[in-house]
Amino acid sequence: MFDMGKSTGSSAQGICCNNHDEVVAQILSASENTRWVSEHMAELRQKYLHKFIAVHNGKIVASSEDQASFFRILRTKESKNLPMIAIEFITDENERWIL
Amino acid sequence: MTGRDNEPYAEGFVSIPTLGKSGIVKFLIDTGNSTTCLGEPDVLKMGIDARSLPTPGIRHMGIGGKGNAREIEGPVMVCLMDEEHRLHEAELENISVILNHREEEHRGGKIRRVDYPYPSLLGRNYLSKLNCTLHFDFKNWDMFIEI
């Protein structure tokens, strides 16, 4: 993960800030879910290689090889939690991003 | 940097008022990328059909060649949160969507389509709009942004 240091300037006062508390709560929850994915990547690779997974509160709430099916499942089962859910495509340890 | 494979990730919030859509996005901080982009899964998560979006007028080139991109006309608001839970918002004129890389795999006489999604990338246009300073500590795998 990555830290944003203390701001030396003023916070923005735009659309995001109109829903400040809700956005902050969602970001914090999403960060926890992302952290859980990072900490469990070795196990996830064994079970979900080349699948999309959705994680919320330390649980896999959906998984599928097919992106369209995956999002159908998520919208049906987890529409309320969708903003906070961490979505990850599980790649092989030997696959690297070169962007 | 303590994210997966020591990659510097940060959750942000993206709002697209013209489409009435918004959502939390996990960004890979990518100083090599001039513009902030969304990956296809993050766009689908917001309820936007990425493949029905218009093709941008400019080419998106990467290490692997030309990227398969779409474009969302702005304004698009992108926010990151600091350690004191303040939100830092930049308004972008538009935002590109990088579609998944698709491959066909042949296994056991069957053909299977595999999607390899790209991550959403926080590029230099966000960082420069907010006059950010990046601090890297590769010895301790630590990184932070100062605004």
Side-chain angles (χ1 to χ4, degrees):
Chain A
M1 229 66 56
F2 150 99
D3 298 318
M4 272 200 80
K6 284 184 181 179
S7 168
T8 53
S10 59
S11 297
Q13 296 296 321
I15 283 179
C16 301
C17 298
N18 292 342
N19 306 309
H20 178 275
D21 292 350
E22 189 185 345
V23 170
V24 166
Q26 288 184 356
I27 289 176
L28 290 172
S29 178
S31 297
E32 278 304 308
N33 290 331
T34 299
R35 196 187 319 275
W36 189 94
V37 171
S38 296
E39 289 169 359
H40 294 82
M41 186 50 74
E43 305 150 46
L44 294 171
R45 279 187 170 129
Q46 288 182 357
K47 199 171 174 186
Y48 297 100
L49 187 64
H50 293 160
K51 288 185 177 177
F52 290 90
I53 63 162
V55 170
H56 189 51
N57 291 337
K59 289 179 188 166
I60 310 284
V61 294
S63 69
S64 178
E65 287 182 358
D66 179 67
Q67 183 176 251
S69 312
F70 175 73
F71 278 98
R72 268 198 300 275
I73 296 166
L74 267 183
R75 288 194 199 296
T76 309
K77 282 177 58 183
E78 296 288 339
S79 59
K80 190 179 143 201
N81 297 320
L82 195 52
M84 289 84 76
I85 284 173
I87 290 172
E88 191 82 25
F89 181 75
I90 305 297
T91 55
D92 194 289
E93 207 172 358
N94 296 317
E95 292 165 352
R96 289 280 183 269
W97 286 112
I98 304 173
L99 297 169
Chain B
M1 287 176 267
T2 55
R4 177 165 63 92
D5 300 331
N6 294 323
E7 291 165 342
Y9 280 108
E11 268 76 20
F13 180 78
V14 174
S15 175
I16 308 163
T18 49
L19 299 179
K21 303 287 185 184
S22 62
I24 303 295
V25 172
K26 185 179 80 169
F27 283 109
L28 177 64
I29 312 303
D30 183 8
T31 57
N33 187 20
S34 55
T35 56
T36 298
C37 303
L38 296 173
E40 188 175 340
D42 284 325
V43 172
L44 287 170
K45 191 178 164 188
M46 287 186 219
I48 301 167
D49 178 8
R51 287 177 187 261
S52 71
L53 292 166
T55 305
I58 54 167
R59 285 196 190 94
H60 289 64
M61 303 303 292
I63 295 293
K66 187 181 162 201
N68 193 5
R70 298 289 186 269
E71 189 168 68
I72 298 174
E73 273 299 315
V76 175
M77 262 54 79
V78 177
C79 277
L80 291 191
M81 184 178 78
D82 69 22
E83 58 192 9
E84 292 166 352
H85 296 178
R86 284 183 297 198
L87 299 172
H88 300 273
E89 180 179 296
E91 182 180 321
L92 308 180
E93 287 176 18
N94 52 51
I95 197 160
S96 298
V97 177
I98 308 299
L99 301 182
N100 297 349
H101 172 69
R102 285 188 165 164
E103 281 187 3
E104 284 187 346
E105 281 189 359
H106 299 255
R107 263 191 220 163
K110 288 183 180 173
I111 300 173
R112 191 170 70 97
R113 194 189 73 197
V114 184
D115 271 81
Y116 290 94
Y118 292 98
S120 293
L121 305 170
L122 192 83
R124 297 195 300 273
N125 58 345
Y126 175 89
L127 299 168
S128 62
K129 278 214 172 200
L130 295 185
N131 296 320
C132 298
T133 304
L134 291 179
H135 298 265
F136 290 88
D137 174 1
F138 285 102
K139 186 179 175 188
N140 299 305
W141 287 112
D142 198 13
M143 174 185 178
F144 71 94
I145 293 176
E146 187 178 340
I147 296 179

